[in-house]
Amino acid sequence: MRFRFAPSPTGVLHIGGARTALYNWLASRGEKGELVLRLEDTDPERSTEENVASILEALEWLELDWDIGPLRQKEREDRHRECVQQMLESDLAYRDPASAEEVASWKKENGNRGYRGKGADDPSAAVRLRVPDEGETVVRDEIHGDVSFPNSAIDDFVIARSDGSPLYNLAVAIDDLDMEITDVVRGDDHLSNTPKQILVMEALGTTPPRYAHLPLLHGPDGKKLSKRHGADSVQALRDSGYLPEAVRNYIALLGWGTEDDETLLTTEDLIARFRIDRVGKAAAIFDEQKLRWMNGRYMRGLPVDDYTARVAAFIDREVDDRLRDACEMAQEKAQTLAEVWPLIGYLFEEPELDEKAWRKVMKEGSADLLESSHSALADLEGFGVPEVEKALEQVVVDSGAKPGAVYQPVRVALTGGSVSPGIFETVSALGQEQTLSRIEAAIDRCRSEQGATG
Ligand code: GLU
C-alpha cells in the first residue's frame, strides 16, 4: 500500500494538517506500506520556501518521516501538460473560450446542469474535460461509505488555463496515478474535489485509489478550529511546551479511538492498532485542556535525565546537576515544559514578586511567624528535606498557627509567588543562605508595610 501526505506550502502546518500527516504515517507504517511526501506548490502567489521549511520542521518535530520525497508538484508541470495534450488529442478534453459569465448564463438557461461547452479550434482557449452526461461518479470512501455525484451535475471543468498551465484537480489526479498511490487520506474539505479527480483518472482509463476523507476539527465550542481555541499550529504547540509524543498521541485520538477507548498509547501501540476504517464521520473536538492533561502524564513518565534535557532545551540553558535536581522537584507538578521554569526559576535568580500573592498571603501575624521560621532554619546544621521539614513543623506546633499560615509566607518570601513544589523541598533546594536572606527581606517588607498602615 502506498499513502501520501500532500500539503500545500501556503501556510504553516495546522493541527488538522498534522492529523492528516499522522494518520497517513500510522497507516503506512502499520500496513507495512510506503509514504510519499508531496508538496503541492503550484500556487505561485501563496506557496513559499519559508512555508516549505516550516512544514518540514513541524513534521520532523513530530517525528513523522516518509519513504519517498519530498516531491514537488511544480516540477512535474511538463508531465501535467503532456497529459493535457494527450487528452486533447484523444478528444477526452476540448478547448473552450467561454468566459466565467458565459458559463454562468449557460447554466442558468439549462436548469443549473453541469456546463457543457461547444468547444472551439482556438489554441489559446482553456481546456475542459468532457464529463459524461450519463451515470454517476462514486467516491468509495472508507469513512463516509459510497458518496455518489450525478455526472450531469458536474461541469466540464477546466483542467488547463488558456496559457496551458495545468489546474489543481488535474495535477493531483495525475500525481496520484503516476506515484501509484493506493490510498488517499485527506481532509473532508477535499471531498467535493474527488469526483473530478476520479473523472480525470477514468478518462485516462485507470482505476482510482481508495479514499478516506477525515472529518473537520472543531474547538470545544463546536466552531471550526482556529487560533481562538489556543495553539493552532504545530510550532505553536511546541512553543507552548508540549512534548511531541503527547501531541502525537492526542492528535491520533481526534476522530479515531481503540475499541476500549484507551487514551495513553505509545507510538508502537498506535501503529499496531490504528485503523482508517474506524475513523468517525463526525467532526472531532480539539480541546487544549485535554492535551495539557495528557502532556502532564507524559512529562511525569519521563526519566529525569531526559526530562532535564528537554527542559534545558526549552529554556535554553545548559544541563547541570542543579538544574537536574530542580527539574526532579518540578516533575510532579508541571503539565508542560513552559510551566517548569516558573516552578524552579527562583532557585537560579531573584524572583519577581507577585504582589497579589503577597497581599493574599501576608497577614497580621505573618512577620512574627516568618521570624520563628527564620530562627528555626538558622539553627539547622544539615539543610536536607527531612531537617527542614522537622524544623518548620516545630514552628507550626510551637506557634499553634495553621500550617498554611507558616508555610505560605515562607513560600512567597522564597519564590515570589504562592505556587511552588513542596515547601520543604523548595526550602532545601534553595539552600540555607538564600533562604535566610530572602526571609529577612520579607520580614523587613512586612514590618515596613505594617508601619505604613498604622
Ligand atoms: N494540497 C492539499 C491541501 O493541502 C491536499 C490535497 C490532497 O491531499 O489531495 O489541502
Side-chain angles (χ1 to χ4, degrees), residues 4-8 20 38 40 168 172 176 184-187 189-190 197:
R4 78 325 184 256
F5 176 54
S8 302
T20 302
R38 181 172 79 219
E40 302 203 320
Y168 175 74
V172 172
D176 284 341
V184 169
V185 178
R186 62 185 170 199
D189 48 335
H190 285 281
Q197 294 170 16

Side-chain angles (χ1 to χ4, degrees), residues 267-301:
T267 301
E268 291 71 40
D269 287 338
L270 289 173
I271 291 173
R273 303 180 63 178
F274 180 75
R275 295 251 313 274
I276 271 291
D277 58 8
R278 278 189 47 83
V279 174
K281 273 196 242 253
I285 309 286
F286 175 84
D287 183 345
E288 198 174 337
Q289 291 315 315
K290 293 201 175 132
L291 171 60
R292 279 174 63 79
W293 168 84
M294 186 172 283
N295 200 70
R297 294 288 300 257
Y298 274 87
M299 298 260 297
R300 286 192 288 283

Side-chain angles (χ1 to χ4, degrees), residues 327-342:
C327 282
E328 197 163 16
M329 200 170 79
Q331 195 164 0
E332 268 311 299
K333 219 159 186 160
Q335 305 259 65
T336 66
L337 292 172
E339 286 175 12
V340 176
W341 185 249

Side-chain angles (χ1 to χ4, degrees), residues 72-260:
R72 297 198 175 226
Q73 196 157 57
K74 208 162 68 195
E75 287 171 6
R76 296 180 35 82
E77 188 175 330
D78 287 349
R79 168 70 182 145
H80 301 146
R81 284 176 183 261
E82 183 188 300
C83 288
V84 171
Q85 210 46 49
Q86 267 175 24
M87 289 164 91
L88 278 170
E89 277 159 23
S90 45
D91 202 35
L92 298 165
Y94 60 95
R95 294 199 182 269
D96 183 38
S99 65
E101 294 76 42
E102 284 164 335
V103 170
S105 73
W106 186 97
K107 286 172 74 89
K108 215 165 163 186
E109 281 161 26
N110 287 271
N112 227 13
R113 278 199 301 127
Y115 171 72
R116 304 288 179 256
K118 282 201 293 287
D121 197 11
D122 174 357
S124 67
V127 180
R128 292 180 183 271
L129 184 81
R130 277 190 205 289
V131 175
D133 268 320
E134 310 298 311
E136 49 188 25
T137 297
V138 181
V139 180
R140 303 202 184 282
D141 191 284
E142 306 257 344
I143 297 169
H144 298 266
D146 286 357
V147 188
S148 305
F149 298 83
N151 290 335
S152 59
I154 303 175
D155 291 340
D156 283 1
F157 57 94
V158 177
I159 55 175
R161 296 183 192 87
S162 47
D163 65 0
S165 58
L167 265 90
Y168 175 74
N169 282 315
L170 176 94
V172 172
I174 303 293
D175 286 356
D176 284 341
L177 285 181
D178 285 356
M179 295 171 193
E180 296 175 14
I181 303 299
T182 61
D183 290 83
V184 169
V185 178
R186 62 185 170 199
D188 243 353
D189 48 335
H190 285 281
L191 186 55
S192 60
N193 283 326
T194 309
K196 294 183 177 171
Q197 294 170 16
I198 291 178
L199 283 164
V200 170
M201 295 179 186
E202 285 178 350
L204 294 169
T206 53
T207 331
R210 271 185 297 270
Y211 290 94
H213 287 92
L214 307 171
L216 276 181
L217 295 186
H218 285 173
D221 58 359
K223 304 236 169 74
K224 207 176 153 219
L225 193 62
S226 72
K227 240 199 166 66
R228 79 197 126 93
H229 297 109
D232 68 337
S233 70
V234 172
Q235 270 87 350
L237 292 174
R238 179 196 63 195
D239 297 343
S240 304
Y242 295 106
L243 304 177
E245 58 267 51
V247 170
R248 252 191 349 229
N249 186 161
Y250 182 68
I251 287 183
L253 299 175
L254 295 176
W256 170 82
T258 62
E259 264 127 72
D260 30 18

Side-chain angles (χ1 to χ4, degrees), residues 317-377:
R317 270 187 101 93
E318 296 290 315
V319 172
D320 58 22
D321 287 349
R322 265 179 83 209
L323 186 64
R324 187 184 186 278
D325 292 345
C327 282
E328 197 163 16
M329 200 170 79
Q331 195 164 0
E332 268 311 299
K333 219 159 186 160
Q335 305 259 65
T336 66
L337 292 172
E339 286 175 12
V340 176
W341 185 249
L343 288 170
I344 61 172
Y346 55 83
L347 297 172
F348 300 85
E349 57 192 27
E350 279 293 328
E352 220 180 285
L353 180 63
D354 171 354
E355 299 282 348
K356 240 173 100 187
W358 174 276
R359 283 196 299 276
K360 196 157 163 231
V361 162
M362 295 304 180
K363 305 262 158 57
E364 244 195 71
S366 295
D368 293 340
L369 290 170
L370 279 170
E371 298 264 15
S372 312
S373 298
H374 184 276
S375 58
L377 294 168

